[in-house]
């Protein structure tokens, strides 16, 4: 059974399927309309969204102006991963992203696990973004004199928590969602209607076609960049450099508190790889699109963070969900704040669109391999999109967005994405040598890691020597978070030894190490839910995919 669990798809077989336009991994039915500009735009559309308009505030509160270092660290981590994605894309230019890449290198069960994890990135991630969208949209309606009842714009858990906090503080509960919600069957009816409605509209757009989705994304990206440029230009005149002192008020520990929020801001750049079969020249354009979008987005995040922390002291950003609008209200430029709210709605919309495009194409690839029912790979005859998968994605995102809170979802999305990144970086190390590298349109640079990785690991151990010593000496009494840290040290040591012995390529090794470290900084409570999600996925695989897989059929035949 172990051999069948790790049965692999071969690169030549996949490429042959693409050339013949078969129903296995073929490109038949999908429009090849995306170029490097479109891919870069899709990357920016995914990355410049909820992060810069909401989570950047809390990250700035925890880390101060020095949180820009976390943006840079995260960007470098994503950059290592992007280069690994690019190497895979240049060899396997088909839909499926990390799922397909894992199928080639690790085998079927790992591919299923990574495909299941990607649901957290694209599906659950969109739940978070839709909730953020709803918050800005409700504020936007208030700005033009339209009041949306509170019980129609939040989730039951948040409504109850806010109500109990108001009671404890002795403040008024008039107008709160928990107070005004109608009773249905003895229960208060509270739901986030705008969040579900925007998912429905975005799903329709993704269903209609990639060309229409591309045009919409390009428009929204252009508008976002103009708005952010205006924010920076206006904000420069109101910067007080005293607000940048101290630059690291809570030391680097405070900066690292924002790992989940900052990494969540970068989630989505890899969604570009799911559109490989709709690229005119995927081997050339996919690598460029991912790298260009990462560079542009990092520069934007760093500049905007410096501007807003210069305008308002970092200590004022605690629990501020709309930091860009907040800083302009603080300097009595409320109209600019309203303009930013409009932009935030559009920004979140573009993120939703990219994620709703990505998830169906993952399921389409899994279905082609027999791991999901055949309907998931059906292509609409007119719109030439994975129609059934798109509809299912819409329901899976829209229904939870009505009722769930976003905090846990953010952490789960980050874990699922980082897990996928680790496997992609590790998978590159397992790819066979290419006989004729000159014929490829992208080649991952080889840098011998034999001495570099051990030096980096030694520097890390020295820099974290107090934490390492405390974790090891008190291991029986450690918190779950510190146990995760010890696990990282063990894994990092094993990777370091392998790098020294096998002279592994440096970029994917650094990608794995950086992603693993970011993973262990995510709150431990989210890991239990993550493992539960993975276990549920494996139950589905062994109930259906293991037996229905096309590789299983080929072996039995």
């Amino acid at each position: 059974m172990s051999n069948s669990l790790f049965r692999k798809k071969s690169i030549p077989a996949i490429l042959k399927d693409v050339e013949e336009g078969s129903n296995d991994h073929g490109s038949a039915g999908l429009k090849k309309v995306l170029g490097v500009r479109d891919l870069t735009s899709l990357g920016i559309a995914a990355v410049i969204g909820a992060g810069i308009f909401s989570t950047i505030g809390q990250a700035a509160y925890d880390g101060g102006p020095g949180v820009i270092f976390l943006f840079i660290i995260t960007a470098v981590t994503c950059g290592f991963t992007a280069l690994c994605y690019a190497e895979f894309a240049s060899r396997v230019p088909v839909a499926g992203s990390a799922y397909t890449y894992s199928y080639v290198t690790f085998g079927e069960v790992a591919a299923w696990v990574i495909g299941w994890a990607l649901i957290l990135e694209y599906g659950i991630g969109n739940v978070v973004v839709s909730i953020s969208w709803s918050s800005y949209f409700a504020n936007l309606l208030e700005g033009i004199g339209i009041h949306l009842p509170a019980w129609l714009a939040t989730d039951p858990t948040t409504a109850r928590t806010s109500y109990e906090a108001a009671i404890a503080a002795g403040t008024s509960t008039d107008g709160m969602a928990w107070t005004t919600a109608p009773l249905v069957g003895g229960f208060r009816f509270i739901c986030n209607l705008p969040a579900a409605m925007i998912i429905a509209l975005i799903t329709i757009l993704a269903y209609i076609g990639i060309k229409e989705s591309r045009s919409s994304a390009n428009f929204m990206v252009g508008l976002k960049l103009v708005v952010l440029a205006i924010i920076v230009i206006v904000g420069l005149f109101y910067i007080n450099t005293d607000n940048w002192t101290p630059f690291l008020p809570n030391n680097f520990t405070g900066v690292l508190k924002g790992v989940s929020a900052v990494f969540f801001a970068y989630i989505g750049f890899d969604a570009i790889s799911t559109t490989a079969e709709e690229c005119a020249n995927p081997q050339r354009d996919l690598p460029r699109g991912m790298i260009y979008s990462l560079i542009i987005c990092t520069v934007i995040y760093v500049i905007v963070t410096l501007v807003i922390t210069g305008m308002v002291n970092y200590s004022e950003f605690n629990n501020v969900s709309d930091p860009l609008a907040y800083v302009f209200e603080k300097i009595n430029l409320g109209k600019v704040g309203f303009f930013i709210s409009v932009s935030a709605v559009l920004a979140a919309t573009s993120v939703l669109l990219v994620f709703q495009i990505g998830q169906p194409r993952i399921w389409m690839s899994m279905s082609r391999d027999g791991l999901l029912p055949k309907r998931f790979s059906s292509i609409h005859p007119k719109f030439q999109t994975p129609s059934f998968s798109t509809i299912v994605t819409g329901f899976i995102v829209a229904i939870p967005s009505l009722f769930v809170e976003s905090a846990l979802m953010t952490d789960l999305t980050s874990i699922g994405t980082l897990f996928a990144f680790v496997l992609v970086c590790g998978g590159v190390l397992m790819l066979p040598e290419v006989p004729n590298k000159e014929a490829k349109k992208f080649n991952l640079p080889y840098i011998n890691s034999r001495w570099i990785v051990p030096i980096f690991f030694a520097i890390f151990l020295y820099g974290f020597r107090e934490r390492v010593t405390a974790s090891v000496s008190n291991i029986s009494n450690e918190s779950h978070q510190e146990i995760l840290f010890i696990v990282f040290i063990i894994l990092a040591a094993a990777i370091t030894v392998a790098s020294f012995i096998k002279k592994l390529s440096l970029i994917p090794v650094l990608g794995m190490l950086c992603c693993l470290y970011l993973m262990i900084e995510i709150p431990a409570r989210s890991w239990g839910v993550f493992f539960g999600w993975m276990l549920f996925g494996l139950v589905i695989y062994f109930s259906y995919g293991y037996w229905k897989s096309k590789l299983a059929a080929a072996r039995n035949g």
Side-chain angles (χ1 to χ4, degrees), residues 125-270:
N126 250 4
V127 173
V128 179
V129 179
S130 68
I131 293 171
S132 174
W133 185 95
S134 175
S135 176
Y136 271 103
F137 183 69
N139 291 337
L140 185 61
L141 291 180
E142 289 288 343
I144 59 177
I146 300 175
H147 176 69
L148 186 67
W151 55 273
L152 281 179
T154 190
D155 63 272
T157 302
T158 300
R160 182 169 185 170
T161 301
S162 300
Y163 173 78
E164 291 174 348
I167 293 295
T171 57
S172 174
T173 60
D174 294 340
M176 297 186 71
W178 194 260
T179 306
T180 59
L183 290 175
V184 178
F187 295 93
R188 287 178 171 81
F189 181 79
I190 300 173
C191 68
N192 201 328
L193 186 61
M197 289 180 62
I198 189 58
I199 292 297
L201 292 174
I202 290 296
T203 300
I204 292 171
L205 182 58
Y207 183 91
I208 291 174
I210 189 68
K211 186 175 181 180
E212 291 75 12
S213 300
R214 175 195 66 179
S215 300
S216 301
N218 287 344
F219 168 76
M220 286 185 280
V221 165
L223 187 58
K224 278 194 293 189
L225 294 180
V226 169
V227 170
L228 291 172
I230 293 173
I231 291 172
V232 170
I233 292 171
V234 175
L236 286 174
F237 293 98
Y238 293 90
I239 288 178
N240 178 0
T241 54
D242 291 340
N243 289 328
W244 288 337
T245 304
F247 203 71
L248 291 169
N250 300 312
N251 301 318
F252 208 69
T253 303
V255 171
L256 290 175
K257 284 184 178 180
V259 163
S260 183
V262 169
F263 185 78
F264 183 80
Y266 279 93
I267 286 175
F269 82 90
D270 59 309

Side-chain angles (χ1 to χ4, degrees), residues 43-59 71 124-136 224 228 260-268 301 304 320-324 340 343-352 355 406 410 413:
I44 297 173
V47 176
I48 302 296
I52 201 164
F53 286 97
S54 59
T55 58
I56 192 175
Q58 191 62 39
F71 281 111
I124 305 303
N126 250 4
V127 173
V128 179
V129 179
S130 68
I131 293 171
S132 174
W133 185 95
S134 175
S135 176
Y136 271 103
K224 278 194 293 189
L228 291 172
S260 183
V262 169
F263 185 78
F264 183 80
Y266 279 93
I267 286 175
Y301 273 128
V304 171
V320 174
S321 60
D322 53 350
L324 299 190
I340 292 171
S343 308
V345 169
L346 291 174
T349 303
S350 67
V351 177
L352 292 169
F355 283 11
S406 65
T410 301
T413 304

Side-chain angles (χ1 to χ4, degrees), residues 266-287:
Y266 279 93
I267 286 175
F269 82 90
D270 59 309
I272 297 173
S273 63
T274 67
T275 64
E277 292 180 36
E278 289 146 296
C279 298
N281 193 339
Q283 292 178 316
R284 181 196 68 190
D285 294 345
L286 277 173

